[in-house]
Amino acid sequence: MEKAINRQQVLLQHLNPSASSFSSHQNNSALSASACLAGDSAAYQRTNVFGDDVVIVAAYRTALCKSKRGGFKDTYPDDLLAPVLRAVIEKTNLNPSEVGDIVVGTVLAPGSQRASECRMAAFYAGFPETVPVRTVNRQCSSGLQAVADVAAAIKAGFYEIGIGAGLESMTTNPMAWEGSVNPRVKQMEQAQNCLLPMGITSENVAHRFGVTRQEQDQAAVESHRKAAAATASGKFKDEIVPVATKIVDPKTGDEKPVTISVDDGIRANTSVSDLGKLKPVFKKNGTTTAGNSSQVSDGAGAVLLMKRSVAMRKGLPILGVFRTFAAVGVDPAIMGVGPAVAIPAAVKSAGLELHDVDLFEINEAFASQFIYCQKKLELDPQKINVNGGAMAIGHPLGATGARCVATLLHEMKRRGKDCRFGVVSMCIGTGMGAAAVFERGDGVDELCNARKVETNSLLSKDAR
């Protein structure tokens, strides 16, 4: 903040009239430096017209449930996606025919089959045949990539309203390699490392960067503690859409109708001593266990985006503003470090510094990589995953990005003026990272007091 004030004072020295022409009293009352809402982020500039901002007006998710054992074990993938697609339309009273595209992030299902299921889900949700649907797969960032793709399309003028969503049923489509592997892979180490089990990459991060078993187990405990507290206080009710489905008894085949509205993987009583009893899963003397890794889950999420001018014309409350997105590549053998590279790239693109960000949602694929990224970027633990993360809530691969956006924006709304900028980030299998920067919906006011000038010598790009 002090640097920003100093910059203002230097500028004002050039703008104030000289003492020879005006009295000292007039000089003192003319112009003065003051703090701005953005804090010490003088580089932050809106390069687009206010009404052309891409904004989020709704973001919802299903509860996340344990794969093969949880509340969605007998739910078809399209029946997971349909409720969140319906929710973003019904809760905003938007005519579904106005949606320009629906983009769904999804990872494990065969591409053509999942594309058909997503189209079917759109029909179940009440969308007309005129609204197109497509899928996108960038591994664990697929849900966030879907949101970014829609934002980019709106910015490009392809359409004014779109939905970025995410879907994964790890019950229906478990992680597996189909078919043979090209023998050429043996000739290149980086290509070979793309085939490493994710747990091995976690062990690589822990070994290479000195992340201890104790640290990893403690991080898992904190994730469960915060998620349990958020659930108990009703925080997730703002973002979770209840899903009416069924549970089938595996022994009798009897079906029981249920409504799922609570994440079922959170263990409030998890302790370091309990987790310490678990054996490593991927390496004999390793540190990565089932307890300090993300949960294998089923779930879906959807985010409704549009131009700010459209949202204002419709009278819709603005939950957040999409600012920037970055995807980066890293060493496949330590793919978990992705957020440590992607976050600075996205934040810099927004014209911000890391300390300008008030909240982070960083996917907890593994405690090892989560801890590494936090330490590497020197992030305040009080700003990260304040309502728990994937070790407690779950990680349905294609849906995680949409889930994180919903969780982040609703928390930013609750915090109000004390929380302006937020970041969603995750590591990506085969060695990548992704991050996006969001701004609280009411954190920016229209620049109605900008003086219209006719010359090109502008002090602010916003005055154009």
Side-chain angles (χ1 to χ4, degrees):
M1 182 65 70
E2 183 179 350
K3 289 189 292 184
I5 296 294
N6 289 339
R7 284 190 288 265
Q8 288 188 40
Q9 289 174 338
V10 171
L11 177 61
L12 293 176
Q13 288 175 6
H14 295 285
L15 296 177
N16 269 320
S18 64
S20 60
S21 303
F22 293 86
S23 69
S24 174
H25 173 75
Q26 287 174 314
N27 272 340
N28 291 337
S29 63
L31 295 168
S32 62
S34 62
C36 66
L37 178 63
D40 188 16
S41 55
Y44 173 67
Q45 297 170 329
R46 296 209 306 279
T47 57
N48 51 323
V49 178
F50 179 78
D52 286 339
D53 280 344
V54 177
V55 302
I56 295 96
V57 298
Y60 297 104
R61 68 176 179 95
T62 67
L64 303 191
C65 296
K66 292 178 287 188
S67 169
K68 300 187 183 299
R69 297 179 293 131
F72 292 137
K73 71 181 183 67
D74 300 306
T75 303
Y76 286 101
D78 35 325
D79 284 334
L80 275 176
L81 180 60
V84 290
L85 293 180
R86 185 184 305 115
V88 296
I89 296 300
E90 290 184 347
K91 292 179 181 291
T92 57
N93 291 316
L94 183 70
N95 184 338
S97 65
E98 295 183 76
V99 174
D101 201 2
I102 300 172
V103 181
V104 185
T106 184
V107 179
L108 297 176
S112 59
Q113 177 179 323
R114 180 50 49 85
S116 297
E117 290 170 332
C118 291
R119 177 72 162 156
M120 290 154 57
F123 288 135
Y124 300 153
F127 287 84
E129 63 185 26
T130 54
V131 177
V133 179
R134 71 173 173 89
T135 60
V136 61
N137 186 347
R138 199 196 287 270
Q139 308 280 40
C140 300
S141 71
S142 297
L144 183 62
Q145 186 68 58
V147 173
D149 283 3
V150 170
I154 293 173
K155 184 79 72 176
F158 296 161
Y159 46 81
E160 293 187 333
I161 302 172
I163 295 174
L167 166 66
E168 208 70 61
S169 171
M170 299 181 78
T171 295
T172 305
N173 306 108
M175 297 179 69
W177 183 279
E178 294 185 8
S180 60
V181 177
N182 187 343
R184 183 182 179 186
V185 74
K186 298 178 181 179
Q187 301 172 14
M188 184 177 294
E189 184 180 4
Q190 284 181 310
Q192 275 187 305
N193 288 341
C194 289
L195 301 177
L196 287 175
M198 294 298 96
I200 293 297
T201 71
S202 171
E203 292 288 4
N204 291 344
V205 170
H207 175 73
R208 189 176 302 187
F209 302 108
V211 183
T212 68
R213 169 71 182 269
Q214 176 76 14
E215 287 179 303
Q216 294 174 61
D217 288 348
Q218 184 61 52
V221 169
E222 284 299 300
S223 184
H224 282 279
R225 181 188 65 79
K226 290 186 287 188
T231 301
S233 64
K235 284 187 175 182
F236 292 144
K237 289 182 179 179
D238 293 335
E239 64 193 63
I240 293 180
V241 174
V243 177
T245 185
K246 64 184 179 183
I247 294 290
V248 179
D249 187 314
K251 295 182 179 178
T252 65
D254 293 341
E255 296 184 4
K256 176 184 177 183
V258 294
T259 298
I260 306 297
S261 59
V262 179
D263 304 311
D264 68 15
I266 301 169
R267 301 185 298 276
N269 297 321
T270 298
S271 66
V272 173
S273 60
D274 288 339
L275 293 182
K277 299 173 184 176
L278 298 177
K279 294 181 179 180
V281 178
F282 301 95
K283 190 177 178 181
K284 184 176 181 181
N285 297 316
T287 57
T288 299
T289 71
N292 58 37
S293 304
S294 58
Q295 296 190 32
V296 178
S297 312
D298 306 330
V303 180
L304 177 61
L305 302 95
M306 61 183 66
K307 288 176 63 175
R308 183 192 288 272
S309 57
V310 174
M312 294 176 68
R313 185 171 70 244
K314 293 179 175 296
L316 293 173
I318 295 171
L319 187 60
V321 184
F322 185 96
R323 286 303 178 199
T324 59
F325 171 80
V328 301
V330 298
D331 181 354
I334 50 171
M335 67 91 201
V337 306
V341 182
I343 291 174
V347 169
K348 181 179 180 180
S349 178
L352 299 172
E353 302 289 342
L354 283 175
H355 60 75
D356 293 317
V357 179
D358 302 292
L359 282 180
F360 294 86
E361 279 290 328
I362 301 177
N363 187 45
E364 299 168 350
F366 298 96
S368 61
Q369 57 84 211
F370 172 72
I371 293 168
Y372 166 79
C373 293
Q374 177 184 315
K375 288 183 175 181
K376 177 66 176 179
L377 299 180
E378 299 181 347
L379 302 180
D380 181 354
Q382 298 302 313
K383 292 183 176 183
I384 311 172
N385 296 1
V386 295
N387 294 316
M391 287 185 284
I393 300 171
H395 179 26
L397 308 184
T400 286
R403 194 283 295 175
C404 288
V405 171
T407 300
L408 175 76
L409 293 181
H410 284 285
E411 181 62 27
M412 291 176 71
K413 179 182 178 182
R414 279 189 291 270
R415 296 192 175 208
K417 290 190 298 183
D418 294 330
C419 185
R420 182 171 184 181
F421 295 107
V423 166
V424 170
S425 185
M426 64 280 295
C427 57
I428 302 169
T430 70
M432 290 179 281
V437 177
F438 298 86
E439 188 170 4
R440 197 185 74 252
D442 58 353
V444 176
D445 300 318
E446 186 170 9
L447 294 168
C448 55
N449 62 344
R451 178 173 59 88
K452 185 177 181 180
V453 293
E454 303 301 330
T455 67
N456 291 327
S457 57
L458 303 173
L459 292 175
S460 169
K461 291 181 180 180
D462 290 321
R464 290 178 180 171

